[in-house]
Amino acid sequence: MAFVHITRRERFSAAHRLHRPDWSDARNLEVFGKCSNPNWHGHNYELWVTVKGEQDPATSFVVDLSALSRLINTHVIDYLDHKNIDLDVPFMKGRLSSTENLAVAIWEQLAGPVAELGCTLHAVKVKETENNHVEYHGA
Ligand code: NI
């Protein structure tokens, strides 16, 4: 049996705004452009979670994908989907709601629970738009 990587995709829709409260509105607008719009904007995000591990000799699986999906939904999607990332999401409190910070926070949400499934978190990829995605590998 081999050591294999496997990826599960999930999706969520959420509102946010790039805004530093310690900066003036003018500075926020200069740095973040229309992403700093005071009345929010939204994205249809996609999230890819890659785990790695040894294949189970009986099933050939690295992980039960339905269990992985449930775990991602419980620890990440349920907090984010149809929410305002800046106002509603405990694990994003005090963090700029950039795609970079989202990827890091999602990693922090998932690393422990994924280990309980008997595999290791390898990558979190968050796609904000068709043209931009961020990938985090835990360091
Ligand atoms: Ni945005």
Side-chain angles (χ1 to χ4, degrees):
M1 293 283 108
F3 195 83
V4 178
H5 293 66
I6 186 164
T7 301
R8 172 75 190 180
R9 182 187 69 156
E10 302 287 344
R11 290 181 275 192
F12 60 95
S13 300
H16 83 136
R17 173 193 189 195
L18 294 181
H19 174 80
R20 286 189 61 139
D22 56 329
W23 287 358
S24 67
D25 287 350
R27 177 87 172 123
N28 274 290
L29 185 64
E30 179 191 334
V31 174
F32 298 128
K34 63 184 181 182
C35 291
S36 73
N37 174 31
N39 289 332
W40 319 102
H41 67 277
H43 298 283
N44 294 316
Y45 291 91
E46 289 183 71
L47 166 65
W48 284 265
V49 175
T50 302
V51 304
K52 58 188 174 185
E54 289 284 346
Q55 289 180 277
D56 183 304
T59 63
S60 81
F61 295 165
V62 170
V63 67
D64 176 344
L65 275 174
S66 60
L68 179 61
S69 175
R70 275 196 303 277
L71 184 151
I72 298 166
N73 274 274
T74 301
H75 293 278
V76 176
I77 304 297
D78 290 351
Y79 288 102
L80 288 165
D81 191 35
H82 288 72
K83 299 289 172 55
N84 182 312
I85 297 171
D86 298 67
L87 300 180
D88 300 329
V89 182
F91 60 78
M92 289 300 291
K93 275 274 179 302
R95 292 167 136 151
L96 186 74
S97 57
S98 63
T99 315
E100 289 87 338
N101 281 348
L102 256 183
V104 172
I106 290 170
W107 175 284
E108 292 168 0
Q109 286 293 106
L110 290 177
V114 162
E116 288 173 24
L117 290 181
C119 50
T120 304
L121 188 57
H122 174 71
V124 166
K125 180 172 130 179
V126 181
K127 187 181 91 174
E128 190 188 58
T129 72
E130 289 301 318
N131 296 326
N132 301 321
H133 73 258
V134 165
E135 197 165 318
Y136 183 60
H137 290 245

